[in-house]
Amino acid sequence: MGGVGELGGGPGPREGPAQRGAPLPTFCWEQIRPHNLPGDKWLVIERRVYDISRWAQRHPGGSRLIGHHGAEDATDAFHAFHQDLNFVRKFLQPLLIGELAPEEPSQDGSPNAQLVEDFRALRQAAEDMKLFEAKPTFFALLLGHILAMEVLAWLTIYLFGPGWVPSTLAALILAISQAQSWCLQHDLGHTSVFRKSWWNHMAQQFVMGQLKGFSAHWWNFRHFQHHAKPNIVHKDPDVTVAPVFLLGESSIEYGRKKRRYLPYNHQHLYFFLIGPPLLTLVNFEVENLAYMLVCMEWMDLLWAASFYSRFFLSYIPFYGLTGALLLFVAVRVLESHWFVWITQMNHIPKEIGHEKHRDWASSQLAATCNVETSLFIDWFSGHLNFQIEHQCHHMLSPPPSLFPTMPRHNYHRVAPLVKTLCAKHGLSYEVKPFLTALVDIIGSLKKSGDVWLDAYLHQ
């Protein structure tokens, strides 16, 4: 291949960056592919090849997020997750080791050039429609009704006492408040509320810390991996739930390797016992605390401590310590049900497996579906029923100097444009009734369990 060295030639992972002013070495994808190991990682951005082996640990988004793109073209992800591209490119320059050979495609695979071009046209149309402009009133009302529910729950106990009926009602109100807080911090994490990312991050720390007791940095660490590699096992933490549950291709792997830590053919049944009830109460609480301590996110820890101080100081006078703990557990369990059903109704029933190296647009669309819209469902789900538009909003985001990513109150306006584009390219744009989407979670778990059992017994 003209201009390309032999396999393994050119700068290795520890040979240093290309010299400024010197001709850049050229690489083919066959040379780049092997460099996807923990201590040896290359990636391609805008046809330039970078060695991130040593630098990955210093990546502000975490080494895991950038490492998921090892030996791949990460151009779309680079644009999706960074607002000030010129600033970020300053950090890339010392890592530059070469560029793709002129005859090599920009992506390792068969990218759909027309699809990418059409998405860019759609992005321009959305910009012309001013769909990236957030409505301050919308988000102010969101925060206001969350705070109102917090006050209403406390007043319920204050006025009617800590009996079973007032306590149940207060727990339900607090659970709804917590669920809506998830939605608001999610908007802030995607920088879709304020024009300046710093304001979004500060507001997210308040909502996530003071109103929920979690770390904003922990959430972004998890959630950005999900958006970078949706439904990719070992890269998307939302579907990497083995050995408790098996999803997609992991079912066949566990079956063939004769792994039976749990009766997976009955996972659709024990899901009701340990899935929705315990995710937030157990898994998130432990994972969140471990992240803050290991990563030394002391400010997040202080914000979380302010939540627990406020909660227990508010309710211990009525219940005592044990009663307040029980109320907290009840709220977390109710909140956890909402989180699991609402966030997974769009993803678990879809394709889940290992890296397919699709183009950015196709990988996002293959991993999700929409749920029918109504005023109640839009509010209750935090507009996550428009999951296709949400997954695509990274692709639709305009240049960072103009606006942040698309606010969710505009999803219904861009949805017809996305649907038309999907129809043009033969891509699935699935819209389900709300109850069907919930039932499909159980159906998918049962199907994966049956696949595991068949592989376990016969392969």
Side-chain angles (χ1 to χ4, degrees):
M1 186 173 291
V4 180
E6 295 299 322
L7 181 62
R14 290 178 177 82
E15 291 185 24
Q19 296 296 317
R20 186 180 296 272
L24 288 174
T26 57
F27 298 96
C28 64
W29 281 110
E30 188 178 1
Q31 291 173 288
I32 295 170
R33 265 184 237 119
H35 297 279
N36 187 25
L37 301 172
D40 177 13
K41 224 172 260 294
W42 295 4
L43 53 77
V44 177
I45 297 174
E46 298 168 338
R47 297 191 61 83
R48 295 200 157 199
V49 183
Y50 298 92
D51 177 5
I52 62 167
S53 306
R54 295 181 178 178
W55 185 81
Q57 293 295 332
R58 303 200 301 273
H59 180 237
S63 60
R64 189 175 300 177
L65 177 60
I66 194 172
H68 290 338
H69 296 280
E72 294 181 3
D73 176 62
T75 302
D76 288 322
F78 176 73
H79 284 265
F81 290 110
H82 302 98
Q83 289 193 307
D84 191 342
L85 297 182
N86 290 328
F87 176 76
V88 178
R89 287 190 181 100
K90 295 177 182 178
F91 293 91
L92 285 177
Q93 184 59 39
L95 310 177
L96 179 65
I97 60 171
E99 61 185 355
L100 284 176
E103 61 270 28
E104 286 290 311
S106 294
Q107 294 185 358
D108 184 17
S110 302
N112 188 333
Q114 187 60 50
L115 175 62
V116 173
E117 182 179 338
D118 286 347
F119 256 107
R120 288 171 179 164
L122 175 55
R123 181 185 68 187
Q124 184 60 51
E127 185 180 343
D128 294 340
M129 295 168 65
K130 301 187 184 302
L131 299 186
F132 298 100
E133 294 189 20
K135 296 178 180 178
T137 304
F138 176 86
F139 291 106
L141 288 174
L142 275 180
L143 177 59
H145 96 299
I146 290 169
L147 297 176
M149 284 188 283
E150 293 285 328
V151 173
L152 180 59
W154 184 85
L155 285 175
T156 300
I157 304 303
Y158 177 78
L159 296 174
F160 301 103
W164 279 105
V165 173
S167 297
T168 301
L169 181 59
L172 287 170
I173 294 171
L174 287 171
I176 295 171
S177 173
Q178 288 293 296
Q180 291 300 310
S181 294
W182 277 119
C183 300
L184 180 55
Q185 73 83 25
H186 178 250
D187 299 322
L188 293 162
H190 280 293
T191 64
S192 61
V193 180
F194 301 105
R195 292 193 180 189
K196 294 186 176 180
S197 59
W198 184 80
W199 293 0
N200 285 287
H201 296 323
M202 288 298 295
Q204 186 192 20
Q205 281 195 309
F206 168 76
V207 175
M208 198 60 164
Q210 166 56 220
L211 298 184
K212 294 201 59 61
F214 288 104
S215 163
H217 289 92
W218 161 77
W219 170 260
N220 292 338
F221 170 74
R222 279 184 57 93
H223 195 59
F224 292 165
Q225 291 182 72
H226 161 70
H227 275 287
K229 297 291 181 178
N231 281 22
I232 302 299
V233 177
H234 303 309
K235 294 186 177 182
D236 179 359
D238 288 359
V239 298
T240 306
V241 291
V244 180
F245 298 103
L246 301 182
L247 301 173
E249 294 178 5
S250 63
S251 306
I252 300 176
E253 292 178 6
Y254 267 60
R256 287 174 176 171
K257 294 178 180 178
K258 310 305 177 186
R259 293 178 178 175
R260 186 178 182 176
Y261 303 115
L262 288 168
Y264 298 119
N265 52 315
H266 297 300
Q267 65 178 0
H268 61 293
L269 299 177
Y270 69 71
F271 171 78
F272 291 95
L273 298 177
I274 63 175
L278 300 181
L279 176 71
T280 303
L281 178 64
V282 177
N283 184 62
F284 277 7
E285 291 281 2
V286 173
E287 187 180 312
N288 171 70
L289 179 61
Y291 180 89
M292 289 190 290
L293 294 176
V294 171
C295 298
M296 296 183 288
E297 295 289 353
W298 307 126
M299 185 58 69
D300 284 7
L301 193 61
L302 287 174
W303 275 116
S306 73
F307 163 80
Y308 288 102
S309 299
R310 174 177 59 83
F311 184 91
F312 287 106
L313 287 174
S314 297
Y315 291 102
I316 283 177
F318 302 109
Y319 292 99
L321 179 59
T322 301
L325 279 170
L326 289 174
L327 177 64
F328 172 79
V329 169
V331 171
R332 280 288 191 248
V333 169
L334 291 170
E335 166 198 357
S336 187
H337 276 82
W338 174 91
F339 188 96
V340 171
W341 291 106
I342 294 301
T343 63
Q344 296 308 309
M345 64 183 180
N346 312 90
H347 293 297
I348 286 183
K350 301 297 287 185
E351 176 186 329
I352 299 174
H354 293 288
E355 183 68 71
K356 301 296 190 299
H357 299 289
R358 296 185 176 104
D359 61 77
W360 179 261
S362 299
S363 67
Q364 299 292 317
L365 291 167
T368 193
C369 65
N370 278 4
V371 173
E372 289 180 352
T373 180
S374 72
L375 287 176
F376 172 76
I377 292 176
D378 291 354
W379 167 78
F380 187 68
S381 68
H383 289 84
L384 291 181
N385 52 321
F386 289 97
Q387 189 65 219
I388 293 175
E389 287 69 33
H390 175 60
Q391 292 292 138
C392 291
H393 81 182
H394 290 297
M395 295 177 283
L396 299 177
S397 298
S401 58
L402 297 177
F403 302 106
T405 52
M406 185 179 293
R408 57 176 157 119
H409 54 68
N410 286 331
Y411 286 166
H412 72 283
R413 296 179 61 194
V414 78
L417 303 180
V418 176
K419 184 176 182 179
T420 300
L421 186 146
C422 289
K424 175 182 177 180
H425 291 275
L427 297 171
S428 174
Y429 187 96
E430 186 178 10
V431 182
K432 299 180 180 180
F434 180 64
L435 293 179
T436 300
L438 300 182
V439 171
D440 282 352
I441 294 177
I442 306 305
S444 296
L445 288 168
K446 186 178 187 306
K447 180 180 178 180
S448 294
D450 291 342
V451 168
W452 167 82
L453 184 62
D454 179 71
Y456 185 84
L457 294 175
H458 304 116
Q459 295 185 28

